[in-house]
Amino acid sequence: MMGRSILEIKHVTKDFGDGNSTIRVLKNINLTVKQGEFIAVVGPSGSGKSTLLSVIGALLTPTEGDILIDQEVVHLQSKKRFNQLRAGKIGFIFQSDNLIPYLNVSGQLKLVNQIAKNNKSTGQKRANELLSRLDLLQRRNNYPAELSGGEKQRVAIARAFMNDPSIILADEPTASLDSVRGRKVVEMISQEVKSRNKAAIMVTHDERMLDLCDKVYVMKDGCLARE
Amino acid sequence: MFLAWNEFRRNKLRYGLLSLIMIAVLFLVFFITALSNGLGYADSAAMSNLKTEYVILSEEAEGVLIKSELNNDDLDELFDLLGEQYSPFAITVSGLEKVNERTVDVAYFTVDTERYGDVTITEGKNLRELEDNEVVADESLKRFGYELHDTIKDSRTDIEMTIAGFTEDHVYSHMPVIFTDASIGFQSFYRMEDTYNAVFYQGSEMDLEHYDMQTLEDTIRTIPGYSETQGSFMMMKSFLFIISVFVSSVFFYVITLQKTHQFGILKAIGAQTWYIAKSILLQVAFITLLGLMLSSLAFYGIVQLMPEEMPVQLSWQLIVGTGGLFLILNMFGAMLSIWKVAKIDALEAIGRME
């Protein structure tokens, strides 16, 4: 089941400069994630976890080193290709739900399909399937304001999987949920990753979720190490 | 399209209010512009439409037409100097007698109907074709119930005349103009002898002793109060325009700026800036066009309800032009905030920067 590597990070560093001083946030990061793997990154705040996720997600460009998603070097791409990459290969789940407030649940998924320029009817089928798996079918016409925190996060998961991405990047997906709901959300991510043979990286503070992950890495002062 | 439409549907109140503001602002622009155009028109349209290149006045008049007095001797002298290319002109303000009602103020333009030239006729005869005691009146006289072939009676001299034709765009100081031939005699209304205000002349400019020769434009400019009136109308219109365009485009700028966070999400899930921009521009265009349509409808409705004496004038070119300018500047206001979104990282917009 674990075959092809989906994500390869090679010697990645990231500097943030504010004019006269630069801070090295990521120091020589190496990481490979294979199909079907669900990886957790833990560490104190300010250690560079979210920066790592942003660099992988083509939201930031690394200062040095290479990132390959599906054997394609990410940061050499044009800005337009960045967007296409995000739309096609990467699914984001953010810390807070970050849904579009004026779209109902099925609208949120339809939007992703539209941005990725995918076929309408396959998108419809895919959306139905995702909603039923995540137990959201009866909430499909509700708007984010009418959903509970757990439901919103489940919609966010459905949205992240909607474009059939190669890799899911989850940034503290449980931060706004209580532990029971949080665990359920992480279980769902894990299930989706396994059943669809995807890869996922989750940044979290929550140590109780780690048993659901295949590998746990610790981020400390910009260095990444296997626990 | 999908985004824009859903946002409208979900935020009916917000966008409804925004449309209402748009309608109100555009209505105000149209209404005030029309009114000041109309007032400016009623003030001096007849003067702008006088058929001449040059106006010759007496020296003492200092360029002001109604202060100028030319008698028959002057006319003879000018005829010798200018030849056939001249035609005398006199303005006489009086009233028409009306049964059971107050008199109607009118301005008689006494001309030599053979020489003056043709005016725009909407109905009936032109000046050249007039017979004895026939006159050509401005259409605005119809508002007082007069029709073609009606007999009108001057309230002071009791002269009776027949309306043989109607012309348009001849209003002088808010009064309808009536063109009369010198044979009817209003040029000797105040004095026993003929007194004209000016002599019109087509040809090359020349220096005349004892007389002032100036262009028609200069003559209009020296009408007492003309530049003051037109100047303040102009200032009023342009300020209103600038302020309302500014208000509406700032509105769109702010309302788009509020959505920065959403654009961050959209960018993070892979939407290109153009995809976001398209939806915003669609919204701005929709609201502006809706405002344009409803406000011009409201304007049209108000004009129907207003008494006919209210001078309002608004061409469809101005409506379209105003609408176009609002559209462009509103889009510009929205684009200003989209440009900001295009520059910032999706990450920053989401607010997840460690």
Side-chain angles (χ1 to χ4, degrees), chain A residues 12 20 40 77 91 100 112 131 133 144-145 149 159-160 169 171 181 196 202 215 224:
Chain A
V12 163
N20 35 26
Q77 314 291 348
I100 308 291
V112 174
L131 290 179
R133 281 178 80 107
R159 187 176 69 178
L169 302 175
D171 189 1
R181 289 215 177 78
R196 291 170 191 275
M202 175 175 71
K215 290 177 188 168
L224 190 69

Side-chain angles (χ1 to χ4, degrees), chain B residues 70-82:
Chain B
L70 301 170
N71 57 28
N72 282 331
D73 293 342
D74 293 319
L75 250 54
D76 289 343
E77 195 182 338
L78 284 166
F79 182 73
D80 290 342
L81 286 167
L82 304 169

Side-chain angles (χ1 to χ4, degrees), chain A residues 184-201:
Chain A
K184 223 173 160 188
V185 163
V186 176
E187 268 169 9
M188 278 173 174
I189 297 174
S190 172
Q191 266 170 27
E192 291 296 312
V193 168
K194 301 290 173 207
S195 66
R196 291 170 191 275
N197 225 8
K198 305 290 177 192
I201 300 177

Side-chain angles (χ1 to χ4, degrees), chain A residues 87-104:
Chain A
K89 299 216 159 160
I90 300 167
F92 274 104
I93 301 168
F94 299 105
Q95 159 168 247
S96 51
D97 52 90
N98 274 313
L99 301 172
I100 308 291
Y102 48 83
L103 293 181
N104 61 20

Side-chain angles (χ1 to χ4, degrees), chain A residues 151-206:
Chain A
E151 282 171 330
K152 276 194 259 193
Q153 207 57 323
R154 258 148 53 201
V155 176
I157 293 171
R159 187 176 69 178
F161 278 96
M162 183 61 198
N163 54 0
D164 198 17
S166 304
I167 185 160
I168 297 286
L169 302 175
D171 189 1
E172 308 260 13
T174 59
S176 54
L177 303 174
D178 61 49
S179 63
V180 180
R181 289 215 177 78
R183 193 172 171 83
K184 223 173 160 188
V185 163
V186 176
E187 268 169 9
M188 278 173 174
I189 297 174
S190 172
Q191 266 170 27
E192 291 296 312
V193 168
K194 301 290 173 207
S195 66
R196 291 170 191 275
N197 225 8
K198 305 290 177 192
I201 300 177
M202 175 175 71
V203 163
T204 185
H205 269 113
D206 204 337

Side-chain angles (χ1 to χ4, degrees), chain A residues 111-129:
Chain A
L111 174 72
V112 174
N113 204 51
Q114 212 180 64
I115 288 172
K117 298 193 175 78
N118 289 335
N119 184 283
K120 216 174 163 180
S121 62
T122 45
Q124 187 71 51
K125 246 164 79 180
R126 208 179 151 69
N128 279 339
E129 189 202 323

Side-chain angles (χ1 to χ4, degrees), chain B residues 12-226:
Chain B
K12 285 195 193 80
L13 184 69
R14 178 193 295 181
Y15 287 100
L17 287 174
L18 192 60
S19 306
L20 210 67
I21 290 172
M22 207 60 217
I23 293 167
V25 164
L26 279 167
F27 176 76
L28 191 72
V29 170
F30 289 151
F31 192 73
I32 300 288
T33 308
L35 203 61
S36 68
N37 279 354
L39 286 169
Y41 164 88
D43 193 40
S44 56
M47 296 302 285
S48 319
N49 286 325
L50 286 178
K51 297 192 82 76
T52 183
E53 274 177 77
Y54 293 102
V55 178
I56 297 158
L57 306 173
S58 64
E59 226 167 15
E60 307 82 58
E62 289 165 336
V64 180
L65 185 112
I66 52 167
K67 278 204 252 169
S68 169
E69 285 179 3
L70 301 170
N71 57 28
N72 282 331
D73 293 342
D74 293 319
L75 250 54
D76 289 343
E77 195 182 338
L78 284 166
F79 182 73
D80 290 342
L81 286 167
L82 304 169
E84 291 291 328
Q85 288 299 323
Y86 97 130
S87 95
F89 174 75
I91 296 178
T92 315
V93 173
S94 183
L96 296 182
E97 216 164 68
K98 241 193 141 190
V99 196
N100 296 335
E101 273 178 66
R102 65 196 166 94
T103 55
V104 178
D105 291 330
V106 294
Y108 296 108
F109 279 17
T110 303
V111 295
D112 184 335
T113 47
E114 294 296 326
R115 290 169 182 272
Y116 181 74
D118 289 336
V119 293
T120 322
I121 291 295
T122 57
E123 210 180 332
K125 294 182 184 173
N126 212 320
L127 292 181
R128 246 183 262 272
E129 304 154 335
L130 293 181
E131 286 162 35
D132 284 351
N133 285 324
E134 284 188 340
V135 295
V136 168
D138 185 69
E139 278 192 320
S140 52
L141 202 62
K142 286 184 183 171
R143 284 190 211 136
F144 303 99
Y146 292 106
E147 281 168 37
L148 201 64
H149 308 309
D150 276 2
T151 300
I152 51 177
K153 189 176 178 188
D154 184 70
S155 59
R156 292 202 239 174
T157 55
D158 289 342
I159 296 174
E160 284 191 4
M161 295 155 282
T162 311
I163 302 172
F166 277 112
T167 180
E168 59 182 0
D169 294 340
H170 281 90
V171 191
Y172 175 77
S173 278
H174 302 256
M175 290 177 286
V177 163
I178 296 174
F179 280 97
T180 61
D181 188 71
S183 62
I184 294 177
F186 284 108
Q187 71 275 20
S188 53
F189 190 77
Y190 296 111
R191 311 258 172 105
M192 292 317 289
E193 55 167 356
D194 285 358
T195 310
Y196 290 92
N197 288 103
V199 162
F200 292 163
Y201 172 66
Q202 317 260 25
S204 53
E205 193 170 3
M206 56 174 101
D207 249 338
L208 298 171
E209 243 182 297
H210 314 302
Y211 305 102
D212 275 340
M213 188 168 185
Q214 57 187 18
T215 60
L216 180 63
E217 290 80 52
D218 286 337
T219 313
I220 292 168
R221 229 166 285 141
T222 50
I223 295 174
Y226 176 83

